[in-house]
């Protein structure tokens, strides 16, 4: 049972951020009980919503002095339980820190508060002919602060790279409330230790980023989008390998499998993909208009040579959105098939995709579970979606065991347990698949450099020293 | 150093310290031993021993950037060239791994056989070891089109100061399993750990690599054009000003590279020329190594950085040092300069002026020994505490003797 915060402490927090921005009412706390991984739910003692670096620093100082755990939270769209509250802790949310502080079109730099929504940043920079490249699927709601914490990716990261490539500077609040500026335009990455690179992806365990400086790119002049329809997933996988090996650099290469196609086509999101197809491949090129048709022609030839049944090409923005629809609406469509969905996330070397997908299918059959695959094929980033009903304990146990097997499989072929969703609480038990005890101990030591007492986001990322090696859905 | 021979195989013992070529450790006192381990396990044994015995360890890759060692204390030189050779190369996955002591040229040659390459170009890359490049962390002007070196390093095997072996990152492009310690090690110049193996991301060689240049009377005049290139609707692979380009008869020039298919490159050139308002000369004879290495040799090397729009002020400040060579990577906001040894007052004043516009100045000055470290960029107070914390987490015995520049 969650213990309420002492009244004096609540008063202190309210005097810092304002009465309305310290939430202790159990009904209002409900929405903060979980993030995008709703299998885990914990009610925090309170939620505090500061509006500035100074307010974050003061809130952290007060909570630190009272030895209260702090769980940073962006939009709560994360899929690994990284923003899951702790029963003794307070959630510090960045929702009010949603201002774009600076857009310098000349130097192609933007400085934002952490609560700025990813897609809003590009909206703000588009009039300058610029955009922010990393585009997680949740970009219309997820925030830059959350992206920094998780080192988020997205479909177009194949060509452009993930969040860490674009973050040039951070202002962070560390344990105790100290405000530290890391990096920043005007300093080279190679100038001293890369503390910005280390902080990005630290999943709220090092501190709270309160200002984020990012590099912007010029908007691509043109885009070409193709949809390849294949009878088998294996053929689609070979097409991907052949496109990349041919030296083409698509902006995105995404695959949806048969189960996903059927789910989408049976839903309100029907995109016109043939329901008897084994896989659909969305390929996109962007850049200078003149070279795009030639790139698209070569990619089409690769698809046909790999056995594509047909290759469609978008002739308008409307058609482009249509080709993407089956990919983008996949998660929504799966809600029709089963009440619960576990979106897994792992990465394998791209050439191992056909073999790994065949084995995932086999795991699904063996555990009698529906698994639908939607993934960033270009960089080998898999999202096997396990469909289940949490009311059925037997099914829950099978989901957990199948997840563990899928993770082991990906690690065995030279991959890893998470490509872009982070470890959070969900993958903590899998960390021993990729790190030995010496490496885990090093992660703990580095965490202590930033937060000696471990008050920031405890119970995330690193397994406890004595933790059992089993985790997954339903583990706590 | 007798006990060293008992923990390392005979094959890991290199030359006698007295026989060590002066060029490998210029101006330094001799080490107490020189070792050339051939495996990560040997490095781990050495580091564990060094921490136990309180002996310093100075890693030397290609030996091109070694810093003079003076002062007291026993130390061992660790030659990394025993850790050489390609380990794996999965051309279809665009990944390659090799021992840290592998000359970069060996890596580049292997990639070239499959029409692939590693798109970074710090000065004198062809003389460096892979581990040395990663330890140094410098990217070169190609970061404009391809991102920084740190984004091309997918995985590392490192040995901490006290002999713990860590595998950081992996073999795949996207990997967020745990904190990104790899980023801290890339560019740490040997201050955190000894790098023994590197996994690199490879790229397909672009079908066309077109070099454009335009001459100018001064670097300052070319800076205006370079800043326009930096705001163009197309993103070149690189853009750099050198104050003397051989192909331009030794005059200052802005050199821009465009990568891609023929049709793309031709269109990009048109867009760029329209945007900047001038016509570039197309010249496949431009010596890229010469441009890349410009301003990388001299008594004192200066690396200044600032936001692109403030580079004019940086160049004005650097004038006081009367640089003998200068290059400007305006997109990255980076200036490289070579000069004669300046006085401390001049350096202080130049640095203040650069810091006033939000920039930073570093010095690489082997002949100035310890003063170069004093004059290098000062971390901000909060950063300094984190740097020290990380150093003690990686090297609790303080035995790693990093290159101090």
């Amino acid at each position: 049972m969650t213990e309420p915060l002492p009244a004096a402490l609540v008063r202190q927090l309210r005097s810092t951020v304002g009465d309305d921005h310290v939430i202790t009412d159990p009904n209002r706390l409900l929405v903060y009980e979980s993030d995008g991984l709703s299998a885990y739910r914990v009610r925090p003692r309170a939620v505090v919503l500061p509006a500035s670096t100074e307010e974050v620093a003061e809130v952290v100082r007060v909570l630190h002095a009272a030895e209260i755990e702090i769980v940073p939270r962006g939009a709560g769209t994360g899929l690994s339980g990284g923003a899951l509250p702790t029963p003794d802790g307070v959630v510090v949310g960045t929702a009010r820190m949603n201002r774009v502080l600076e857009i310098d079109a000349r130097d192609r730099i933007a400085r934002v508060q952490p609560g700025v929504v990813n897609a809003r940043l590009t909206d703000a920079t588009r009039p300058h002919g610029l955009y922010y490249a990393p585009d997680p699927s949740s970009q219309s709601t997820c925030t830059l602060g959350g992206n920094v914490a998780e080192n988020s990716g997205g479909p177009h990261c194949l060509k452009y790279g993930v969040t860490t490539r674009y973050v040039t500077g951070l202002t962070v609040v560390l344990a105790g409330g100290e405000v530290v500026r890391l990096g920043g335009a005007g300093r080279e990455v190679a100038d001293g230790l890369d503390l910005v690179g280390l902080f990005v992806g630290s999943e709220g365990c090092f501190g709270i980023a309160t200002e984020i400086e990012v590099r912007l790119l010029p908007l691509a002049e043109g885009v070409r989008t193709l949809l390849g329809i294949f009878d088998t997933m294996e053929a689609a996988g070979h097409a991907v390998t052949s496109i990349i090996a041919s030296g083409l650099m698509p902006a995105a290469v995404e695959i949806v499998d048969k189960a996903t196609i059927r789910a989408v086509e049976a839903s309100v999101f029907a995109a016109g993909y043939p329901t008897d197809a084994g896989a659909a491949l969305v390929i996109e090129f962007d850049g200078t208009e003149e070279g795009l048709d030639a790139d698209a022609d070569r990619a089409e030839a690769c698809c046909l040579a790999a056995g594509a049944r047909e290759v469609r090409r978008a002739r308008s923005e409307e058609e482009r959105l249509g080709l993407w629809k089956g990919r983008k609406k996949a998660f929504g469509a799966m809600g029709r098939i089963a009440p619960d969905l576990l979106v897994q996330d792992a990465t394998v070397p791209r050439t191992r995709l056909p073999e790994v997908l065949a084995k995932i299918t086999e795991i699904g059959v063996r555990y009698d579970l529906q698994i639908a695959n939607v993934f960033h094929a270009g960089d080998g980033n898999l999202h096997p979606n396990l469909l289940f009903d949490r009311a059925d304990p037997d099914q829950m146990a099978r989901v957990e065991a199948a997840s563990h097997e899928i993770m082991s499989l990906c690690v065995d072929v030279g991959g890893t347990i998470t490509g872009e969703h982070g470890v959070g609480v969900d993958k903590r038990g899998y960390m021993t698949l990729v790190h030995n005890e010496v490496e885990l101990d090093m992660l703990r030591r580095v965490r202590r450099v930033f937060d000696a007492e471990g008050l920031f986001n405890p119970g995330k990322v690193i397994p406890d020293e004595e933790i059992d090696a089993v985790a997954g859905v339903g583990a706590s | 150093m007798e006990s060293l021979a008992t923990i390392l195989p005979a094959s890991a013992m290199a030359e006698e310290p007295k026989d060590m070529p002066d060029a490998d450790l210029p101006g330094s006192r001799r080490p107490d031993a020189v070792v050339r381990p051939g495996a990560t396990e040997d490095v781990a044994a050495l580091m564990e021993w060094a921490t136990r015995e309180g002996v310093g360890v100075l890693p030397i890759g290609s030996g091109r950037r070694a810093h003079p060692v003076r002062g007291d204390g026993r130390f061992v030189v660790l030659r990394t060239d025993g850790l050489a050779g390609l380990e794996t190369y999965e051309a279809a996955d665009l990944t390659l791994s090799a021992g840290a002591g592998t000359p970069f040229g060996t890596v580049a040659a292997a990639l070239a056989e499959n029409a692939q390459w590693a798109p970074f170009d710090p000065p004198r890359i062809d003389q460096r070891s892979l581990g040395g490049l990663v330890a140094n962390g410098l990217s070169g002007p190609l970061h404009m089109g391809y991102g920084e070196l740190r984004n091309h390093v997918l995985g590392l095997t490192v040995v901490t100061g006290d002999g713990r072996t860590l595998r950081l990152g992996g073999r795949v492009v996207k990997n967020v399993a745990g904190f990104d310690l790899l980023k801290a090690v890339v560019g740490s110049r040997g201050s955190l750990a000894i790098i023994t193996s590197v996994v690199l991301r490879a790229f397909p060689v672009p079908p066309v690599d077109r070099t454009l240049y335009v001459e100018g009377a001064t670097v300052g005049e070319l800076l205006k054009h370079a800043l326009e290139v930096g705001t163009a609707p197309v993103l070149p692979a690189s853009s750099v000003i050198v104050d003397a380009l051989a192909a331009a008869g030794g005059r200052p020039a802005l050199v821009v590279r465009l990568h891609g298919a023929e049709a793309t490159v031709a269109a990009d050139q048109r867009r760029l020329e329209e945007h900047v308002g001038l016509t570039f000369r197309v010249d496949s004879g431009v010596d890229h190594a010469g441009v890349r290495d410009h301003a990388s040799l001299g008594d004192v090397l200066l690396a200044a950085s600032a936001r692109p729009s403030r580079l004019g002020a940086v160049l004005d400040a650097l004038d006081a040092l009367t640089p003998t060579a200068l290059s400007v990577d305006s997109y990255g906001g980076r200036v490289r300069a070579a000069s004669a040894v300046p006085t401390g007052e001049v350096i202080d004043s130049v640095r203040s002026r650069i810091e006033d516009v939000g920039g930073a100045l570093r010095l690489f000055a082997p002949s100035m020994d310890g003063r170069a470290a004093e004059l290098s960029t000062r971390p901000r107070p909060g950063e300094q505490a984190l740097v020290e914390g990380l150093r003690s987490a990686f090297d609790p015995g303080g035995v790693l003797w990093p290159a101090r520049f």
Side-chain angles (χ1 to χ4, degrees), chain A residues 60-122:
Chain A
V60 169
R61 194 190 64 73
V62 166
L63 293 172
H64 185 260
E67 295 179 16
I68 289 173
E69 295 166 354
I70 298 166
V71 178
R73 180 183 174 101
T77 54
L79 292 167
S80 59
L84 182 75
T86 60
D88 298 326
V90 167
V91 168
V92 176
T94 58
R96 293 175 64 223
M97 300 176 72
N98 57 3
R99 284 187 301 134
V100 175
L101 300 170
E102 179 190 2
I103 294 172
D104 183 336
R106 185 136 196 104
D107 292 341
R108 290 188 171 167
I109 289 288
R111 201 158 46 83
V112 302
Q113 288 189 309
V116 169
V117 168
N118 176 299
R120 293 288 87 71
L121 176 56
T122 288

Side-chain angles (χ1 to χ4, degrees), chain A residues 107-108 164 186 194 221 288 351, chain B residues 93 150 232 268 271 305 309:
Chain A
D107 292 341
R108 290 188 171 167
T164 189
D194 182 7
E221 185 183 49
T288 303
T351 51
Chain B
D93 279 327
R150 63 178 193 159
D268 283 354
R271 303 274 194 295
S305 59
S309 56

Side-chain angles (χ1 to χ4, degrees), chain A residues 53 100 113 121 126 128 167 183 189 312 385 388 390 439 454:
Chain A
T53 296
V100 175
Q113 288 189 309
L121 176 56
R126 193 175 287 117
H128 303 281
V167 180
V189 170
R312 302 177 191 172
N385 299 288
F388 64 102
R390 83 173 66 198
E439 289 157 358

